[in-house]
Amino acid sequence: MGETAENRLKRLKMRSWRRGTKEMDLILGPYADAHLAEMPDPMLNAYEALLDENDQDLLPWVLGQQAAPAPHAALIALIGTFARARFSAE
């Protein structure tokens, strides 16, 4: 029996909020809360693959300090835009 859609979203949100670094918790957690429920399966698959990356790699990609690998580039761009808008509003 496979994982239900509801359980998958809960698991991905938990992984987004419980990263290795507080910085990535504060970037990925709110992004997951705001966007995961509306993502189609292919995008959820891409997000899940992104969560397998190390925080030390993710942070410079999201901040635009390093180019993200091609498989993650589009999603990293969306997350970076979300994070910049969120932090500039605070």
Side-chain angles (χ1 to χ4, degrees), residues 47-77:
Y47 187 80
E48 190 164 6
L50 184 74
L51 292 179
D52 289 336
E53 298 289 346
N54 292 320
D55 284 0
Q56 293 79 9
D57 295 326
L58 284 172
L59 188 59
W61 298 342
V62 171
L63 296 177
Q65 296 170 337
Q66 294 179 3
H72 298 311
L75 188 51
I76 288 289

PDB file of all heavy atoms in Angstrom, residues 47-77:
ATOM      1  N   TYR A  47      10.486  18.681  -5.794  1.00  0.00           N
ATOM      2  CA  TYR A  47      10.703  19.253  -4.464  1.00  0.00           C
ATOM      3  C   TYR A  47      11.282  18.198  -3.513  1.00  0.00           C
ATOM      4  O   TYR A  47      12.215  18.483  -2.758  1.00  0.00           O
ATOM      5  CB  TYR A  47       9.387  19.813  -3.911  1.00  0.00           C
ATOM      6  CG  TYR A  47       9.576  20.553  -2.617  1.00  0.00           C
ATOM      7  CD1 TYR A  47      10.034  21.864  -2.605  1.00  0.00           C
ATOM      8  CD2 TYR A  47       9.308  19.947  -1.400  1.00  0.00           C
ATOM      9  CE1 TYR A  47      10.226  22.549  -1.410  1.00  0.00           C
ATOM     10  CE2 TYR A  47       9.487  20.627  -0.205  1.00  0.00           C
ATOM     11  CZ  TYR A  47       9.947  21.920  -0.219  1.00  0.00           C
ATOM     12  OH  TYR A  47      10.139  22.596   0.960  1.00  0.00           O
ATOM     13  N   GLU A  48      10.753  16.996  -3.595  1.00  0.00           N
ATOM     14  CA  GLU A  48      11.260  15.917  -2.741  1.00  0.00           C
ATOM     15  C   GLU A  48      12.726  15.618  -3.052  1.00  0.00           C
ATOM     16  O   GLU A  48      13.538  15.408  -2.157  1.00  0.00           O
ATOM     17  CB  GLU A  48      10.403  14.668  -2.898  1.00  0.00           C
ATOM     18  CG  GLU A  48      10.717  13.600  -1.882  1.00  0.00           C
ATOM     19  CD  GLU A  48       9.636  12.538  -1.769  1.00  0.00           C
ATOM     20  OE1 GLU A  48       8.671  12.544  -2.563  1.00  0.00           O
ATOM     21  OE2 GLU A  48       9.758  11.707  -0.865  1.00  0.00           O
ATOM     22  N   ALA A  49      13.084  15.629  -4.326  1.00  0.00           N
ATOM     23  CA  ALA A  49      14.485  15.426  -4.713  1.00  0.00           C
ATOM     24  C   ALA A  49      15.351  16.563  -4.188  1.00  0.00           C
ATOM     25  O   ALA A  49      16.486  16.339  -3.749  1.00  0.00           O
ATOM     26  CB  ALA A  49      14.600  15.316  -6.231  1.00  0.00           C
ATOM     27  N   LEU A  50      14.821  17.777  -4.212  1.00  0.00           N
ATOM     28  CA  LEU A  50      15.553  18.933  -3.703  1.00  0.00           C
ATOM     29  C   LEU A  50      15.835  18.777  -2.208  1.00  0.00           C
ATOM     30  O   LEU A  50      16.910  19.140  -1.731  1.00  0.00           O
ATOM     31  CB  LEU A  50      14.743  20.203  -3.959  1.00  0.00           C
ATOM     32  CG  LEU A  50      15.401  21.512  -3.573  1.00  0.00           C
ATOM     33  CD1 LEU A  50      16.496  21.861  -4.567  1.00  0.00           C
ATOM     34  CD2 LEU A  50      14.373  22.617  -3.524  1.00  0.00           C
ATOM     35  N   LEU A  51      14.885  18.221  -1.474  1.00  0.00           N
ATOM     36  CA  LEU A  51      15.070  18.028  -0.035  1.00  0.00           C
ATOM     37  C   LEU A  51      16.191  17.042   0.289  1.00  0.00           C
ATOM     38  O   LEU A  51      16.691  17.028   1.413  1.00  0.00           O
ATOM     39  CB  LEU A  51      13.763  17.556   0.617  1.00  0.00           C
ATOM     40  CG  LEU A  51      12.631  18.567   0.658  1.00  0.00           C
ATOM     41  CD1 LEU A  51      11.398  17.942   1.305  1.00  0.00           C
ATOM     42  CD2 LEU A  51      13.019  19.845   1.381  1.00  0.00           C
ATOM     43  N   ASP A  52      16.590  16.236  -0.675  1.00  0.00           N
ATOM     44  CA  ASP A  52      17.700  15.305  -0.464  1.00  0.00           C
ATOM     45  C   ASP A  52      19.057  15.993  -0.540  1.00  0.00           C
ATOM     46  O   ASP A  52      20.072  15.401  -0.181  1.00  0.00           O
ATOM     47  CB  ASP A  52      17.640  14.165  -1.483  1.00  0.00           C
ATOM     48  CG  ASP A  52      16.494  13.209  -1.223  1.00  0.00           C
ATOM     49  OD1 ASP A  52      16.024  13.133  -0.070  1.00  0.00           O
ATOM     50  OD2 ASP A  52      16.057  12.529  -2.174  1.00  0.00           O
ATOM     51  N   GLU A  53      19.093  17.237  -0.988  1.00  0.00           N
ATOM     52  CA  GLU A  53      20.345  17.984  -1.093  1.00  0.00           C
ATOM     53  C   GLU A  53      20.764  18.499   0.282  1.00  0.00           C
ATOM     54  O   GLU A  53      19.934  18.705   1.164  1.00  0.00           O
ATOM     55  CB  GLU A  53      20.192  19.167  -2.059  1.00  0.00           C
ATOM     56  CG  GLU A  53      19.860  18.775  -3.476  1.00  0.00           C
ATOM     57  CD  GLU A  53      21.017  18.109  -4.218  1.00  0.00           C
ATOM     58  OE1 GLU A  53      22.174  18.170  -3.745  1.00  0.00           O
ATOM     59  OE2 GLU A  53      20.752  17.528  -5.289  1.00  0.00           O
ATOM     60  N   ASN A  54      22.061  18.725   0.439  1.00  0.00           N
ATOM     61  CA  ASN A  54      22.592  19.271   1.689  1.00  0.00           C
ATOM     62  C   ASN A  54      22.243  20.746   1.820  1.00  0.00           C
ATOM     63  O   ASN A  54      22.264  21.483   0.834  1.00  0.00           O
ATOM     64  CB  ASN A  54      24.117  19.126   1.731  1.00  0.00           C
ATOM     65  CG  ASN A  54      24.563  17.702   1.842  1.00  0.00           C
ATOM     66  OD1 ASN A  54      23.962  16.927   2.569  1.00  0.00           O
ATOM     67  ND2 ASN A  54      25.618  17.352   1.126  1.00  0.00           N
ATOM     68  N   ASP A  55      21.968  21.166   3.048  1.00  0.00           N
ATOM     69  CA  ASP A  55      21.667  22.572   3.298  1.00  0.00           C
ATOM     70  C   ASP A  55      22.826  23.475   2.887  1.00  0.00           C
ATOM     71  O   ASP A  55      22.619  24.589   2.420  1.00  0.00           O
ATOM     72  CB  ASP A  55      21.352  22.800   4.777  1.00  0.00           C
ATOM     73  CG  ASP A  55      19.971  22.314   5.157  1.00  0.00           C
ATOM     74  OD1 ASP A  55      19.252  21.799   4.282  1.00  0.00           O
ATOM     75  OD2 ASP A  55      19.602  22.458   6.330  1.00  0.00           O
ATOM     76  N   GLN A  56      24.058  22.991   3.051  1.00  0.00           N
ATOM     77  CA  GLN A  56      25.227  23.783   2.687  1.00  0.00           C
ATOM     78  C   GLN A  56      25.283  24.050   1.182  1.00  0.00           C
ATOM     79  O   GLN A  56      25.894  25.026   0.749  1.00  0.00           O
ATOM     80  CB  GLN A  56      26.522  23.090   3.143  1.00  0.00           C
ATOM     81  CG  GLN A  56      26.671  23.014   4.646  1.00  0.00           C
ATOM     82  CD  GLN A  56      25.847  21.891   5.289  1.00  0.00           C
ATOM     83  OE1 GLN A  56      25.270  21.035   4.617  1.00  0.00           O
ATOM     84  NE2 GLN A  56      25.777  21.893   6.606  1.00  0.00           N
ATOM     85  N   ASP A  57      24.647  23.215   0.395  1.00  0.00           N
ATOM     86  CA  ASP A  57      24.531  23.438  -1.051  1.00  0.00           C
ATOM     87  C   ASP A  57      23.296  24.273  -1.372  1.00  0.00           C
ATOM     88  O   ASP A  57      23.348  25.171  -2.212  1.00  0.00           O
ATOM     89  CB  ASP A  57      24.451  22.106  -1.796  1.00  0.00           C
ATOM     90  CG  ASP A  57      25.711  21.283  -1.667  1.00  0.00           C
ATOM     91  OD1 ASP A  57      26.815  21.876  -1.610  1.00  0.00           O
ATOM     92  OD2 ASP A  57      25.607  20.048  -1.607  1.00  0.00           O
ATOM     93  N   LEU A  58      22.191  23.981  -0.689  1.00  0.00           N
ATOM     94  CA  LEU A  58      20.932  24.664  -0.977  1.00  0.00           C
ATOM     95  C   LEU A  58      20.990  26.160  -0.706  1.00  0.00           C
ATOM     96  O   LEU A  58      20.496  26.955  -1.517  1.00  0.00           O
ATOM     97  CB  LEU A  58      19.793  24.061  -0.145  1.00  0.00           C
ATOM     98  CG  LEU A  58      19.237  22.725  -0.584  1.00  0.00           C
ATOM     99  CD1 LEU A  58      18.269  22.191   0.455  1.00  0.00           C
ATOM    100  CD2 LEU A  58      18.546  22.865  -1.925  1.00  0.00           C
ATOM    101  N   LEU A  59      21.553  26.557   0.405  1.00  0.00           N
ATOM    102  CA  LEU A  59      21.522  27.965   0.786  1.00  0.00           C
ATOM    103  C   LEU A  59      22.177  28.875  -0.255  1.00  0.00           C
ATOM    104  O   LEU A  59      21.559  29.853  -0.678  1.00  0.00           O
ATOM    105  CB  LEU A  59      22.133  28.170   2.172  1.00  0.00           C
ATOM    106  CG  LEU A  59      21.985  29.574   2.745  1.00  0.00           C
ATOM    107  CD1 LEU A  59      20.520  29.973   2.866  1.00  0.00           C
ATOM    108  CD2 LEU A  59      22.668  29.669   4.099  1.00  0.00           C
ATOM    109  N   PRO A  60      23.377  28.584  -0.731  1.00  0.00           N
ATOM    110  CA  PRO A  60      23.954  29.468  -1.758  1.00  0.00           C
ATOM    111  C   PRO A  60      23.159  29.453  -3.065  1.00  0.00           C
ATOM    112  O   PRO A  60      23.122  30.457  -3.780  1.00  0.00           O
ATOM    113  CB  PRO A  60      25.370  28.943  -1.968  1.00  0.00           C
ATOM    114  CG  PRO A  60      25.570  27.813  -1.042  1.00  0.00           C
ATOM    115  CD  PRO A  60      24.326  27.586  -0.270  1.00  0.00           C
ATOM    116  N   TRP A  61      22.496  28.352  -3.375  1.00  0.00           N
ATOM    117  CA  TRP A  61      21.654  28.318  -4.580  1.00  0.00           C
ATOM    118  C   TRP A  61      20.466  29.253  -4.406  1.00  0.00           C
ATOM    119  O   TRP A  61      20.162  30.051  -5.288  1.00  0.00           O
ATOM    120  CB  TRP A  61      21.143  26.909  -4.850  1.00  0.00           C
ATOM    121  CG  TRP A  61      22.188  25.874  -5.130  1.00  0.00           C
ATOM    122  CD1 TRP A  61      23.486  26.081  -5.497  1.00  0.00           C
ATOM    123  CD2 TRP A  61      22.017  24.451  -5.059  1.00  0.00           C
ATOM    124  NE1 TRP A  61      24.130  24.883  -5.655  1.00  0.00           N
ATOM    125  CE2 TRP A  61      23.254  23.861  -5.397  1.00  0.00           C
ATOM    126  CE3 TRP A  61      20.955  23.633  -4.740  1.00  0.00           C
ATOM    127  CZ2 TRP A  61      23.441  22.487  -5.436  1.00  0.00           C
ATOM    128  CZ3 TRP A  61      21.135  22.256  -4.778  1.00  0.00           C
ATOM    129  CH2 TRP A  61      22.370  21.690  -5.124  1.00  0.00           C
ATOM    130  N   VAL A  62      19.800  29.142  -3.256  1.00  0.00           N
ATOM    131  CA  VAL A  62      18.610  29.966  -3.006  1.00  0.00           C
ATOM    132  C   VAL A  62      18.986  31.447  -2.939  1.00  0.00           C
ATOM    133  O   VAL A  62      18.261  32.302  -3.442  1.00  0.00           O
ATOM    134  CB  VAL A  62      17.891  29.519  -1.715  1.00  0.00           C
ATOM    135  CG1 VAL A  62      16.800  30.500  -1.328  1.00  0.00           C
ATOM    136  CG2 VAL A  62      17.304  28.124  -1.885  1.00  0.00           C
ATOM    137  N   LEU A  63      20.129  31.744  -2.333  1.00  0.00           N
ATOM    138  CA  LEU A  63      20.567  33.132  -2.205  1.00  0.00           C
ATOM    139  C   LEU A  63      21.154  33.699  -3.502  1.00  0.00           C
ATOM    140  O   LEU A  63      21.456  34.881  -3.569  1.00  0.00           O
ATOM    141  CB  LEU A  63      21.599  33.254  -1.076  1.00  0.00           C
ATOM    142  CG  LEU A  63      21.096  32.922   0.327  1.00  0.00           C
ATOM    143  CD1 LEU A  63      22.235  33.020   1.331  1.00  0.00           C
ATOM    144  CD2 LEU A  63      19.930  33.820   0.719  1.00  0.00           C
ATOM    145  N   GLY A  64      21.316  32.853  -4.499  1.00  0.00           N
ATOM    146  CA  GLY A  64      21.863  33.301  -5.770  1.00  0.00           C
ATOM    147  C   GLY A  64      23.370  33.469  -5.759  1.00  0.00           C
ATOM    148  O   GLY A  64      23.941  34.090  -6.652  1.00  0.00           O
ATOM    149  N   GLN A  65      24.037  32.908  -4.768  1.00  0.00           N
ATOM    150  CA  GLN A  65      25.486  33.000  -4.666  1.00  0.00           C
ATOM    151  C   GLN A  65      26.185  31.981  -5.567  1.00  0.00           C
ATOM    152  O   GLN A  65      27.345  32.166  -5.921  1.00  0.00           O
ATOM    153  CB  GLN A  65      25.926  32.799  -3.220  1.00  0.00           C
ATOM    154  CG  GLN A  65      25.410  33.882  -2.298  1.00  0.00           C
ATOM    155  CD  GLN A  65      25.640  33.551  -0.836  1.00  0.00           C
ATOM    156  OE1 GLN A  65      25.787  32.386  -0.455  1.00  0.00           O
ATOM    157  NE2 GLN A  65      25.648  34.576  -0.008  1.00  0.00           N
ATOM    158  N   GLN A  66      25.476  30.903  -5.893  1.00  0.00           N
ATOM    159  CA  GLN A  66      25.970  29.874  -6.803  1.00  0.00           C
ATOM    160  C   GLN A  66      24.816  29.444  -7.687  1.00  0.00           C
ATOM    161  O   GLN A  66      23.654  29.484  -7.265  1.00  0.00           O
ATOM    162  CB  GLN A  66      26.482  28.650  -6.040  1.00  0.00           C
ATOM    163  CG  GLN A  66      27.703  28.891  -5.210  1.00  0.00           C
ATOM    164  CD  GLN A  66      28.125  27.621  -4.463  1.00  0.00           C
ATOM    165  OE1 GLN A  66      27.526  26.565  -4.613  1.00  0.00           O
ATOM    166  NE2 GLN A  66      29.151  27.739  -3.651  1.00  0.00           N
ATOM    167  N   ALA A  67      25.153  29.023  -8.878  1.00  0.00           N
ATOM    168  CA  ALA A  67      24.120  28.517  -9.786  1.00  0.00           C
ATOM    169  C   ALA A  67      23.649  27.149  -9.308  1.00  0.00           C
ATOM    170  O   ALA A  67      24.458  26.301  -8.931  1.00  0.00           O
ATOM    171  CB  ALA A  67      24.674  28.420 -11.199  1.00  0.00           C
ATOM    172  N   ALA A  68      22.345  26.964  -9.303  1.00  0.00           N
ATOM    173  CA  ALA A  68      21.775  25.662  -8.936  1.00  0.00           C
ATOM    174  C   ALA A  68      21.963  24.689 -10.094  1.00  0.00           C
ATOM    175  O   ALA A  68      21.963  25.097 -11.259  1.00  0.00           O
ATOM    176  CB  ALA A  68      20.291  25.819  -8.615  1.00  0.00           C
ATOM    177  N   PRO A  69      22.117  23.410  -9.803  1.00  0.00           N
ATOM    178  CA  PRO A  69      22.192  22.415 -10.878  1.00  0.00           C
ATOM    179  C   PRO A  69      20.918  22.462 -11.723  1.00  0.00           C
ATOM    180  O   PRO A  69      19.826  22.756 -11.216  1.00  0.00           O
ATOM    181  CB  PRO A  69      22.296  21.085 -10.140  1.00  0.00           C
ATOM    182  CG  PRO A  69      22.711  21.422  -8.754  1.00  0.00           C
ATOM    183  CD  PRO A  69      22.234  22.810  -8.478  1.00  0.00           C
ATOM    184  N   ALA A  70      21.049  22.164 -12.975  1.00  0.00           N
ATOM    185  CA  ALA A  70      19.932  22.250 -13.920  1.00  0.00           C
ATOM    186  C   ALA A  70      18.656  21.553 -13.434  1.00  0.00           C
ATOM    187  O   ALA A  70      17.577  22.128 -13.561  1.00  0.00           O
ATOM    188  CB  ALA A  70      20.360  21.718 -15.286  1.00  0.00           C
ATOM    189  N   PRO A  71      18.741  20.346 -12.859  1.00  0.00           N
ATOM    190  CA  PRO A  71      17.493  19.702 -12.429  1.00  0.00           C
ATOM    191  C   PRO A  71      16.731  20.478 -11.340  1.00  0.00           C
ATOM    192  O   PRO A  71      15.529  20.318 -11.197  1.00  0.00           O
ATOM    193  CB  PRO A  71      17.951  18.342 -11.884  1.00  0.00           C
ATOM    194  CG  PRO A  71      19.285  18.110 -12.460  1.00  0.00           C
ATOM    195  CD  PRO A  71      19.896  19.466 -12.684  1.00  0.00           C
ATOM    196  N   HIS A  72      17.444  21.314 -10.594  1.00  0.00           N
ATOM    197  CA  HIS A  72      16.818  22.057  -9.498  1.00  0.00           C
ATOM    198  C   HIS A  72      16.629  23.540  -9.801  1.00  0.00           C
ATOM    199  O   HIS A  72      15.992  24.248  -9.010  1.00  0.00           O
ATOM    200  CB  HIS A  72      17.671  21.941  -8.231  1.00  0.00           C
ATOM    201  CG  HIS A  72      17.845  20.563  -7.706  1.00  0.00           C
ATOM    202  ND1 HIS A  72      16.805  19.686  -7.520  1.00  0.00           N
ATOM    203  CD2 HIS A  72      18.960  19.892  -7.326  1.00  0.00           C
ATOM    204  CE1 HIS A  72      17.270  18.546  -7.038  1.00  0.00           C
ATOM    205  NE2 HIS A  72      18.572  18.647  -6.910  1.00  0.00           N
ATOM    206  N   ALA A  73      17.153  24.024 -10.901  1.00  0.00           N
ATOM    207  CA  ALA A  73      17.219  25.469 -11.149  1.00  0.00           C
ATOM    208  C   ALA A  73      15.858  26.163 -11.120  1.00  0.00           C
ATOM    209  O   ALA A  73      15.709  27.212 -10.485  1.00  0.00           O
ATOM    210  CB  ALA A  73      17.926  25.733 -12.476  1.00  0.00           C
ATOM    211  N   ALA A  74      14.862  25.616 -11.776  1.00  0.00           N
ATOM    212  CA  ALA A  74      13.552  26.272 -11.836  1.00  0.00           C
ATOM    213  C   ALA A  74      12.908  26.345 -10.457  1.00  0.00           C
ATOM    214  O   ALA A  74      12.380  27.393 -10.060  1.00  0.00           O
ATOM    215  CB  ALA A  74      12.640  25.537 -12.814  1.00  0.00           C
ATOM    216  N   LEU A  75      12.977  25.262  -9.715  1.00  0.00           N
ATOM    217  CA  LEU A  75      12.374  25.236  -8.378  1.00  0.00           C
ATOM    218  C   LEU A  75      13.142  26.139  -7.421  1.00  0.00           C
ATOM    219  O   LEU A  75      12.542  26.861  -6.617  1.00  0.00           O
ATOM    220  CB  LEU A  75      12.322  23.801  -7.861  1.00  0.00           C
ATOM    221  CG  LEU A  75      11.549  23.546  -6.570  1.00  0.00           C
ATOM    222  CD1 LEU A  75      10.144  24.136  -6.632  1.00  0.00           C
ATOM    223  CD2 LEU A  75      11.489  22.060  -6.290  1.00  0.00           C
ATOM    224  N   ILE A  76      14.448  26.143  -7.502  1.00  0.00           N
ATOM    225  CA  ILE A  76      15.265  27.031  -6.660  1.00  0.00           C
ATOM    226  C   ILE A  76      14.918  28.484  -6.958  1.00  0.00           C
ATOM    227  O   ILE A  76      14.831  29.308  -6.045  1.00  0.00           O
ATOM    228  CB  ILE A  76      16.772  26.761  -6.880  1.00  0.00           C
ATOM    229  CG1 ILE A  76      17.168  25.426  -6.254  1.00  0.00           C
ATOM    230  CG2 ILE A  76      17.619  27.892  -6.329  1.00  0.00           C
ATOM    231  CD1 ILE A  76      17.188  25.391  -4.743  1.00  0.00           C
ATOM    232  N   ALA A  77      14.693  28.820  -8.217  1.00  0.00           N
ATOM    233  CA  ALA A  77      14.316  30.191  -8.576  1.00  0.00           C
ATOM    234  C   ALA A  77      12.990  30.579  -7.911  1.00  0.00           C
ATOM    235  O   ALA A  77      12.856  31.687  -7.382  1.00  0.00           O
ATOM    236  CB  ALA A  77      14.232  30.338 -10.090  1.00  0.00           C
TER     237      ALA A  77
END
